[in-house]
Amino acid sequence: MSLIKHFLQFQDLTRDEFEYIFERAKIIKARFKNYQPYHPLGDRTLAMIFEKQSTRTRLSFEAGMHQLGGSAIYLNTRDTQLGRGEPVEDAAEVISRMVDMVMIRTFEQDIIERFASHSRVPVINGLTNEYHPCQIMADIFTFIEHRGCIKGKTVAWVGDSNNMCNTWLQAAVVLDFNVHVSTPPGYEVEPERAGLYDTSHYESFVDPMEACKGADLVTTDVWTSMGFEAENEERKRDFHDWQVDAEMMQVAASDAVFMHCLPAHRGEEVAAEVIDGAQSVVWDEAENRLHTQKALMEYLLLGKVNE
Ligand code: CP
Ligand code: NVA
């Protein structure tokens, strides 16, 4: 059995491990805010392989690794032999002999699973078509900061049953909260694709207003994810009524927060008055990618520490 810990989907870690990571993220964030150097990953190197574009993921991993005393190398698949057809398994064998950890943003989950199965070092999912676990980790940390424990709370997901939605559904099982999902017809959750072994933590709603009723957190994402651009015009028509607007926030709990992983399209999946409004915590959410991923990298490389 492999002793290497990967983070390829949310359910790869347990509730206990997330609780530990959230505690570490709080400590690491406080140190960073106080300009206190903390270099537990001195001389460690992270390779970041990107097959899709990114602002937040690249920046948070690269800056995070630097702040922990290590370094990060950015690889765009187009510029590597992977872009010329080198087998993923061969690339994993080689790359994982030269660095201490690998972060990958790619298309199908199968690609990252194959890479991980041939890697000597931890592999982190920086987004696939199916999942975005680092983002949900940051989102839940942000909820805890603003509202406390997420256990038993209700998250309303309005929009596409994409990588973000699937990961919320997995997180609900691991951390014991509920997700109310509303997607347009034809874009419903596919439990198998979401990797769900337990469907008791989510409920589907035809009407997005119903999904938002009483929710503690309302969230959405772009109507067209990376890799699905050819469907953009059709999706704009199909998702027209799935915009998070002030009316939806009105029926949510009075202290509900709004989240969006970003980048956002105001006037499509979210109204400007919501994302730029008082209930929105999107900038904290983006910042927390940095702190939670630093805690994750520390955990994957060093295990539980007491510093
Ligand atoms: N939310 C997120 O992953 O953003 P990027 O695509 O900019 O990395
Ligand atoms: N669902 C979006 C998230 C971007 C961070 C996408 O996959 O493009």
Side-chain angles (χ1 to χ4, degrees):
M1 202 180 85
S2 162
L3 291 174
I4 309 163
K5 226 176 232 314
H6 302 297
F7 189 44
L8 306 181
Q9 48 184 302
F10 200 88
Q11 63 198 9
D12 284 348
L13 298 181
T14 64
R15 182 193 306 196
D16 173 64
E17 289 176 305
F18 281 112
E19 279 170 3
Y20 168 79
I21 288 169
F22 293 146
E23 276 307 310
R24 288 302 297 170
K26 193 172 158 189
I27 294 167
I28 288 170
K29 180 173 182 174
R31 279 188 190 150
F32 178 72
K33 297 281 182 188
N34 288 326
Y35 300 99
Q36 274 175 263
Y38 178 55
H39 295 154
L41 302 187
D43 291 332
R44 305 292 184 112
T45 309
L46 168 76
M48 307 184 298
I49 304 174
F50 281 91
E51 210 161 359
K52 292 176 177 173
Q53 286 148 308
S54 168
T55 298
R56 280 144 288 267
T57 303
R58 177 177 177 182
L59 197 55
S60 53
F61 272 105
E62 194 163 337
M65 200 58 192
H66 177 75
Q67 290 159 15
L68 292 173
S71 52
I73 298 172
Y74 172 79
L75 296 168
N76 186 314
T77 38
R78 280 193 306 275
D79 302 330
T80 69
Q81 297 291 4
L82 274 167
R84 296 181 59 246
E86 181 169 15
V88 169
E89 292 80 2
D90 293 1
E93 293 284 355
V94 174
I95 292 169
S96 71
R97 284 176 184 230
M98 297 186 185
V99 299
D100 301 281
M101 201 164 29
V102 181
M103 190 284 303
I104 305 179
R105 169 168 284 198
T106 186
F107 291 90
E108 289 79 26
Q109 181 71 11
D110 173 61
I111 298 172
I112 197 169
E113 301 275 354
R114 282 163 49 211
F115 190 104
S117 69
H118 285 258
S119 172
R120 292 182 169 200
V121 301
V123 178
I124 299 171
N125 183 342
L127 181 146
T128 57
N129 289 351
E130 287 84 355
Y131 308 119
H132 198 1
C134 291
Q135 182 68 55
I136 301 302
M137 186 174 65
D139 293 8
I140 293 171
F141 180 72
T142 308
F143 184 86
I144 294 168
E145 279 189 327
H146 282 268
R147 296 286 181 265
C149 185
I150 198 163
K151 184 175 176 185
K153 301 285 185 190
T154 299
V155 173
W157 175 269
V158 175
D160 191 16
S161 62
N162 61 13
N163 40 17
M164 284 291 296
C165 176
N166 288 343
T167 312
W168 271 116
L169 296 176
Q170 282 199 1
V173 178
V174 178
L175 300 176
D176 196 14
F177 59 90
N178 308 302
V179 184
H180 288 179
V181 181
S182 181
T183 66
Y187 297 91
E188 291 89 356
V189 170
E190 296 171 47
E192 202 175 316
R193 185 171 158 83
L196 287 183
Y197 56 85
D198 173 351
T199 53
S200 66
H201 287 72
Y202 87 91
E203 206 178 325
S204 297
F205 293 81
V206 174
D207 180 353
M209 286 289 278
E210 289 297 320
C212 291
K213 265 189 192 159
D216 302 289
L217 191 172
V218 178
T219 186
T220 185
D221 187 16
V222 290
W223 290 339
T224 305
S225 287
M226 290 181 279
F228 297 85
E229 287 81 0
E231 301 172 14
N232 197 28
E233 289 312 310
E234 190 183 342
R235 282 172 171 264
K236 274 189 183 169
R237 284 192 297 275
D238 294 345
F239 283 80
H240 186 263
D241 294 332
W242 275 261
Q243 177 187 98
V244 176
D245 57 15
E247 271 180 68
M248 287 187 199
M249 293 306 295
Q250 192 67 40
V251 298
S254 55
D255 65 346
V257 291
F258 172 77
M259 289 194 194
H260 190 309
C261 66
L262 307 175
H265 297 80
R266 288 169 177 77
E268 291 188 15
E269 75 275 6
V270 61
E273 61 183 336
V274 170
I275 193 168
D276 299 322
Q279 286 165 282
S280 173
V281 295
V282 296
W283 310 129
D284 289 344
E285 182 188 358
E287 178 189 325
N288 282 333
R289 291 290 303 278
L290 175 70
H291 311 302
T292 50
Q293 286 162 199
K294 284 165 77 176
L296 173 74
M297 291 193 287
E298 181 194 60
Y299 178 61
L300 294 181
L301 284 183
L302 305 180
K304 290 189 179 177
V305 298
N306 232 334
E307 292 167 64

